[in-house]
Amino acid sequence: MIKLAIKRIIYKVFLLIKGIKKNDLIILATISKTGTHYLRFIFAYYLSFSNGEKIDRSDLSIVDKAFPNSWHVHYFFRKRLVTSKYLKNLNFYDMPRSHYAYRNDFFGSKVIHTYRNPLDYFVILWMIKYRYDPVTKDNYKHPFELIDEHIEDYCNQYLSMSNAAGKDLFRVSFERLIRNPVPVTTQILIWLGENKPDKKNLIRAVEEANLIPSAKIGASEKWQRNESKPCNEKEYNDFMLDLENNGSIGVWKKYFTNDQVRDIELKLKFYGIELKQFTLE
C-alpha cells in the first residue's frame, strides 16, 4: 500500500511538472499479446494518412515513433518522455501503453483495454515471448508449463478492467477486433471524440496493419520489429502460417489436450472467470 501511494505521488508530480492533464492521455492498458500493437499500427497509419503523409511499409518503427512511451516507465521519471505529433489531430497528448491491471491513477484518462481468450493467450505468449528467443527458449517446453506462473496476472488484469464500472473505459476482445477492425476502430475514434472518422483512411490503415504478421496475430516483441531472426525460424514460420490460416483464433487446439483445457478451466473458475464467456474459435 505504501509503495502504491508513493507511485501515485510520483505520477501526480510528473504530470504537474510536465503540464499534462489526465484527460490529455489515452492509456492503452492491455493484456500482452492481445492486439496492443495491432491497434497501435492501425492508429499510427490512420493518423499518418489523415495528415496527408506517405508511409514506408518497410519501416515498422512507425508504431514506436507515433506512440513511443510506456506508462509505467516514461511517466515515473525512469526514462525521458518522448513527445509525438501524431495525436494532435485528436486533441490528445500521448497514448502510453501499459500491461497493468486497472490503476486508480488511470481515472481521468481514456483507457482502451484489449484481451483475448486465455487458451490462445497462453500458447501465443509461450511461442512469441519465450520459444524463439535463444535466451528463454528452454524456460518452458510446452505452453501448459507456464500456466501457473502467468494465470494470476492474466486474471487480475481481465477482472480489474471488467469491474471498472463507471470509468472512461473501452474494452474489446482481440477476436472481435481482428474480425471487425474497421467497425471497432471507428467506434474507438468516435469514443475519443472524432465525430466523423475518415473511413477511407481507416480502411487503408487496417490494410497496411494486416500486412504485418506480428501485428495481425495480436502479438509482438521488439525482436520482431527490429528484424531479428527467431532461433527456430522454420517452427516460427509454420506457427505464423497456422495463425494466418485460422484467422489468429483457435490455435490452442493444436497444443492443449482435453484434460489440459479442463484443468485451465478450473484454474480460471478459481478467479471467478468462466472459459465459455470467451470466443475460442
Side-chain angles (χ1 to χ4, degrees), residues 261-274:
V261 170
R262 281 192 288 270
D263 190 70
I264 295 168
E265 190 172 13
L266 288 174
K267 292 177 187 294
L268 290 167
K269 281 186 177 181
F270 175 81
Y271 291 96
I273 296 174
E274 294 288 340

Side-chain angles (χ1 to χ4, degrees), residues 93-107:
Y93 177 80
D94 193 13
M95 187 171 74
R97 61 200 176 277
S98 168
H99 294 315
Y100 281 176
Y102 190 92
R103 302 292 177 104
N104 289 332
D105 298 314
F106 292 169
F107 187 73

Side-chain angles (χ1 to χ4, degrees), residues 42-256:
I42 291 173
F43 286 145
Y45 288 137
Y46 174 75
L47 294 170
S48 294
F49 292 143
S50 297
N51 288 330
E53 299 172 6
K54 293 182 179 180
I55 64 165
D56 177 359
R57 286 179 178 170
S58 66
D59 182 15
L60 299 187
S61 68
I62 184 176
V63 72
D64 293 316
K65 292 173 184 174
F67 313 114
N69 299 310
S70 162
W71 184 82
H72 41 87
V73 173
H74 294 84
Y75 282 78
F76 289 85
F77 298 102
R78 292 166 65 186
K79 281 189 179 180
R80 186 175 65 85
L81 189 69
V82 181
T83 56
S84 172
K85 63 181 181 180
Y86 283 79
L87 284 165
K88 285 184 178 178
N89 288 350
L90 291 178
N91 296 315
F92 286 93
Y93 177 80
D94 193 13
M95 187 171 74
R97 61 200 176 277
S98 168
H99 294 315
Y100 281 176
Y102 190 92
R103 302 292 177 104
N104 289 332
D105 298 314
F106 292 169
F107 187 73
S109 300
K110 295 276 191 180
V111 178
I112 300 173
H113 175 65
T114 61
Y115 59 93
R116 80 190 306 160
N117 83 67
L119 302 182
D120 278 344
Y121 166 76
F122 291 125
V123 171
I124 291 171
L125 180 70
W126 176 66
M127 278 290 191
I128 304 302
K129 189 172 182 66
Y130 295 103
R131 183 67 172 168
Y132 303 124
D133 186 328
V135 176
T136 61
K137 66 183 180 66
D138 294 322
N139 286 17
Y140 306 98
K141 300 297 185 184
H142 187 274
F144 191 72
E145 293 180 7
L146 59 72
I147 302 294
D148 286 341
E149 184 172 338
H150 290 275
I151 194 167
E152 182 178 6
D153 185 59
Y154 174 93
C155 292
N156 286 343
Q157 288 187 59
Y158 178 81
L159 289 171
S160 75
M161 295 295 176
S162 62
N163 294 334
K167 309 295 193 299
D168 208 351
L169 177 70
F170 192 107
R171 294 181 71 239
V172 62
S173 70
F174 169 79
E175 292 82 11
R176 181 170 162 240
L177 172 64
I178 199 68
R179 286 175 172 167
N180 304 283
V182 174
V184 169
T185 47
T186 297
Q187 291 174 350
I188 294 174
L189 286 166
I190 292 171
W191 173 70
L192 291 174
E194 185 163 359
N195 293 328
K196 294 182 179 179
D198 188 315
K199 187 174 181 180
K200 183 179 177 181
N201 282 340
L202 193 50
I203 290 172
R204 288 176 66 200
V206 168
E207 289 173 347
E208 293 296 334
N210 284 346
L211 295 176
I212 305 166
S214 64
K216 194 177 178 184
I217 69 166
S220 179
E221 289 288 326
K222 283 190 175 180
W223 67 262
Q224 294 166 307
R225 301 200 295 282
N226 66 19
E227 299 183 351
S228 297
K229 298 292 185 182
C231 58
N232 188 331
E233 196 162 3
K234 183 183 183 304
E235 184 184 29
Y236 173 75
N237 290 337
D238 289 344
F239 178 70
M240 297 295 279
L241 182 61
D242 279 346
L243 284 168
E244 178 72 23
N245 290 338
N246 64 27
S248 300
I249 303 169
V251 69
W252 60 270
K253 289 182 283 187
K254 292 188 68 172
Y255 295 88
F256 292 133

